Structure formats: C-alpha cells, structure tokens
Amino acid sequence: FIDRLLVCCEAYEISPVIVINKTDLLKSDRESENLHDISALYTDLGYCVLTTSIFDQTSIEHLKQQVSKKISVFTGPSGTGKTTLLNTLSPGLKLKTGEVSTSSNKGKHTTTFAQLITVNNETFIVDTPGIREFGLVNLEPYEISLFFPEMRSHRETCRYYNCTHRHEPSCGVKAALNAGQITPSRYKSYLNILESIEDELQKLP
C-alpha cells in the first residue's frame, strides 16, 4: 500500500511523508524492531519517515513542521488515526473520530468524504476517508521502475529500454536485486504493481 502511494507521488512530483502513527501501541521489542526496520528501509531510500503518537508532543511537533505553510493530504487505511492527528495539530477543529472495530480489528469509516481543513492562514490539510486499496492509472508498465528510486540507475544498464525486470536477460535491476542493492520486499511490490497495471491494460477495449 505504501509503495503504491509512493509510486503515485513520484509520478506526479508530490513530496511524500510516511507517517507511522500510534507508536504508543507498541507492545514488544519485536514490534519495535519491525518499526525500526520499516523506518530504516524508507529513510535509506530518501523518504521522510515520521513516527507519531498523540501522547508524544515531540512527534506531533515534528509532524506540524512538515505540514506547516503547505497544502497536504492525509491518506491511508481506516483506523490509523488521520483525523485524530488533525485534531491534535489543531485542537479547535473537533473533527469526528471513531474506535477501531473490536470484531475485525480494522478501522471504521468515520470520515466519509474528503474535506479541506484550514489549520491556519498558511496551512491546509485535506482529511480523506480511509482506503483499503489504491489503484494507479495513466502509467505504462515499462515506466513503473522509474518511480522506484533504487531502480533508476540500475535500469540504465538493462539490455532492453522497455525491460520489465522480470524475465529479460542482462537486466540491471535483477542484477542489483541479486547483489542485495534492492530489497526483496520492494521488488515484490514492484512486481505486484506491474502485474496490476498490465491486468488493467488488458481490460481496455
């Protein structure tokens, strides 16, 4: 999900910030290690990663600095605390929030439509409903690797200009993967996105 959003941001020149919220819910050293690994993965790729909790004022201040004097969009799955973060950034908003469902352990759609929130005269944030899937449009299969920063330079050494980095010989991206320069999880995300776009193209008349 994160990788799909990042591809969209790369394609349309949007500066993304990955916010991992509700860190107060970490229950074990293993969960903390997983959080560190995820943060390190994307930080190493050049992305800004914030870990936040409404009970950690320092983390809220870091988020406030990121959105200050900009138009930002908060997007992600239901139940991740997007609206609660907004209320914390600007307490006067008093936007409606809800609890995570105890039966499904998933968020419920408290926000039902996109809404432009004025934090102050220079800062605006769009609060969006929670989403479970994120589709990509207007992209060609051979372009996808352009929007994975760790693949850009390696694709220049591919034998074919339209290499999909899947089965072609003399592929620079696969060579980098085998050399440990591209993480398997990101490569798997790339393949999933590539296949979904190819499937959508096949449906076109």
Side-chain angles (χ1 to χ4, degrees), residues 8-159:
C8 182
C9 289
E10 294 281 352
Y12 292 98
E13 299 182 354
I14 298 169
S15 299
V17 176
I18 300 171
V19 180
I20 304 175
N21 193 33
K22 300 188 178 182
T23 55
D24 53 286
L25 298 181
L26 291 170
K27 298 178 181 178
S28 67
D29 290 342
R30 183 174 181 178
E31 289 183 353
S32 297
E33 289 171 3
N34 287 339
L35 173 61
H36 176 269
D37 290 344
I38 293 171
S39 298
L41 167 63
Y42 290 102
T43 299
D44 289 346
L45 292 173
Y47 294 112
C48 176
V49 179
L50 298 180
T51 54
T52 58
S53 166
I54 60 172
F55 304 108
D56 181 356
Q57 187 57 38
T58 299
S59 71
I60 298 301
E61 287 300 319
H62 290 161
L63 179 59
K64 187 178 294 185
Q65 291 171 12
Q66 284 294 327
V67 301
S68 179
K69 299 181 180 180
K70 300 174 184 175
I71 299 176
S72 305
V73 176
F74 280 14
T75 190
S78 297
T80 52
K82 298 183 295 296
T83 303
T84 302
L85 280 176
L86 266 172
N87 282 335
T88 306
L89 289 171
S90 185
L93 292 175
K94 297 180 180 180
L95 299 171
K96 182 180 178 181
T97 61
E99 298 293 330
V100 171
S101 171
T102 55
S103 60
S104 67
N105 201 34
K106 294 181 179 179
K108 294 178 284 188
H109 292 284
T110 305
T111 303
T112 56
F113 58 91
Q115 182 180 4
L116 180 64
I117 306 297
T118 301
V119 178
N120 56 51
N121 291 337
E122 297 179 309
T123 303
F124 305 89
I125 300 174
V126 179
D127 189 21
T128 65
I131 53 179
R132 293 179 181 173
E133 294 183 2
F134 187 81
L136 295 167
V137 296
N138 298 328
L139 297 177
E140 295 294 332
Y142 70 88
E143 293 179 307
I144 303 305
S145 58
L146 280 171
F147 308 125
F148 280 73
E150 67 270 44
M151 295 185 184
R152 287 189 192 124
S153 61
H154 299 296
R155 57 176 272 143
E156 294 177 3
T157 62
C158 293
R159 178 184 296 181

